[in-house]
Amino acid sequence: MFERMTGGLRGIGHTAIDGVWRIGYASRFFLLTLFKSGISFRRFGLTIKEIYFSGVLSLIIIVVSGLFVGMVLGLQGYETLQKYGSEQALGVMVALTLTRELGPVVSALLFASRAGSAITAEIGLMKATEQITAMEMMAIDPISRVVAPRFWAGVISMPLLAAMFSAVGVFGGYLVGVVMIGVDEGAFWSQMQAAVDFRQDILNGIIKSVVFGVAVTAIALFEGYDAPPTAEGVSHATTRTVVTSSLAVLALDLVLTAFMFRG
Amino acid sequence: MERKTLDLWVGIFVVAGFAAILVLALKVGNLGTFDMSHGYTLIADFNNIGGLKARAPVRSAGVVVGRVTDIQFDNKTFEARVTMDIDGRYRFPRDTTASILTSGLLGEQYIGLGPGGDSADLKNGDRIKLTQSAVVLENLIGQFLFSKASEGAGKK
């Protein structure tokens, strides 16, 4: 009886200690990546290669989904705004939704599933096939050679992808709203320009996407580096990357929005 | 992949990203249409600003000529002090009136500037003396009911 009760308590204690240890390990890993990122700027070719893999190859999915999201916003927004007789405000609605929220958030979610999972799988497999150990044997620091360039590539790519998403989305809203439905073109653009502020809306969106870039890439790298070196371990780590970084993006978005747009 | 093609693609990617930011800033945002660097500041005191908020537009003849930057409560006069930035391209006479208007029935509130006939222009930091407060719907209904009630009393 006593044994059983303490057993339950021990289970809770074990989980708690494990959780705290993992958080500590993750933050140490993150700080280590930051401190050892000198080489990813001195040998910028390494980072450029990673920008190609995580940024350029995500371009198609980002642009296409941006276009579709913008078009859907145009259709849905028109449907609702038309009831209040203010369909000219369609441009404002599409632009504000995209630059403030959907641009950074949706592109971060896409980035997590397109590039984040790839980063985790790659590093997990490097570990499973003992490439990381081999690097350590050759006195090459795997964090500065493998992890840091990928981190900076993600941080650089994310805001650019989010900006492209928003720009293409506004174009999609324009296609549906002005070209297809026939909202007045002048009102569409002029009301948009009158309502969207560069600092308040666009710059805050860019700041958001930089934060999401840091979060998604750091989580993906940590999960890959931490993955058990087996096929099952790598697959679990890849799943965890997508789930954790998506949740992190949404939670961070709530916090950032609360700070940025309270006025 | 060869280093040259890699560099080319990343170059295209980065340029496209910055182009997107530029498009957002100039075409979507107000950076292209609105040059605040040569703007000037005006102050106006209102009895009641209604639902006016910072960043609300300032219009004259329907054209957006500036933006409300700050709203403070003046503890000496018990009035609302509204500070606004006006685009430097536009000049207004000294006896310009400022009134708080609503765009449409349910729209946002903005400041409307009605130019006067003075030959001297308003300068940076000047105060607009002639102001008209926002129409508060509750007061209007209250007045209406009151006048109806007194009408009824007069008939007896």
Side-chain angles (χ1 to χ4, degrees), chain A residues 54-107:
Chain A
S54 52
V56 177
L57 293 183
S58 308
L59 208 58
I60 304 235
I61 187 172
I62 291 281
V63 167
V64 171
S65 12
L67 192 67
F68 281 132
V69 167
M71 286 165 118
V72 168
L73 273 178
L75 279 172
Q76 293 279 19
Y78 179 78
E79 198 68 15
T80 310
L81 288 171
Q82 178 217 39
K83 284 183 193 155
Y84 301 98
S86 50
E87 58 265 26
Q88 272 93 11
L90 187 67
V92 180
M93 201 208 85
V94 171
L96 281 184
T97 324
L98 279 167
T99 51
R100 283 184 171 189
E101 286 297 329
L102 286 184
V105 172
V106 176
S107 55

Side-chain angles (χ1 to χ4, degrees), chain A residues 45 48-49 51-52 55-56 59 95 99 157 160-161 163-164 166-167 170 189 192-194 196-198 200 202 206, chain B residues 1 3 5-7 9-10 13-14 16-18 20-21 23-31 33 55 64 67 106:
Chain A
I48 283 183
K49 202 170 138 235
I51 291 178
Y52 179 80
V56 177
L59 208 58
T99 51
S157 310
L160 299 176
L161 288 172
M164 280 183 234
S166 301
V170 169
W189 290 114
M192 190 192 292
Q193 284 167 357
V196 180
D197 187 53
F198 179 72
Q200 179 78 15
I202 296 171
I206 294 175
Chain B
M1 188 176 288
R3 179 66 199 270
T5 31
L6 203 82
D7 282 354
W9 274 109
V10 173
F13 171 69
V14 172
F18 278 103
I21 294 176
V23 165
L24 285 178
L26 297 180
K27 185 86 184 168
V28 177
N30 54 0
L31 218 60
T33 54
R55 291 218 312 127
V64 178
R67 218 161 264 284
L106 301 165

Side-chain angles (χ1 to χ4, degrees), chain A residues 128-215:
Chain A
T129 52
E130 294 181 334
Q131 290 180 48
I132 301 241
T133 325
M135 273 185 183
E136 275 167 355
M137 296 280 283
M138 290 186 283
I140 298 170
D141 187 2
I143 291 197
S144 60
R145 178 67 177 73
V146 173
V147 174
R150 283 173 174 74
F151 175 74
W152 287 109
V155 174
I156 293 169
S157 310
M158 190 58 242
L160 299 176
L161 288 172
M164 280 183 234
F165 187 97
S166 301
V168 171
V170 169
F171 180 66
Y174 165 80
L175 276 186
V176 165
V178 176
V179 177
M180 213 177 91
I181 299 179
V183 174
D184 183 54
E185 181 167 0
F188 184 87
W189 290 114
S190 66
Q191 290 209 9
M192 190 192 292
Q193 284 167 357
V196 180
D197 187 53
F198 179 72
R199 235 192 12 235
Q200 179 78 15
D201 300 317
I202 296 171
L203 210 63
N204 274 346
I206 294 175
I207 292 171
K208 264 188 183 177
S209 58
V210 172
V211 174
F212 295 162
V214 170

Side-chain angles (χ1 to χ4, degrees), chain A residues 122-133 224-229:
Chain A
E122 195 185 5
I123 292 184
L125 266 177
M126 274 182 156
K127 212 181 150 195
T129 52
E130 294 181 334
Q131 290 180 48
I132 301 241
T133 325
Y225 207 76
D226 186 49

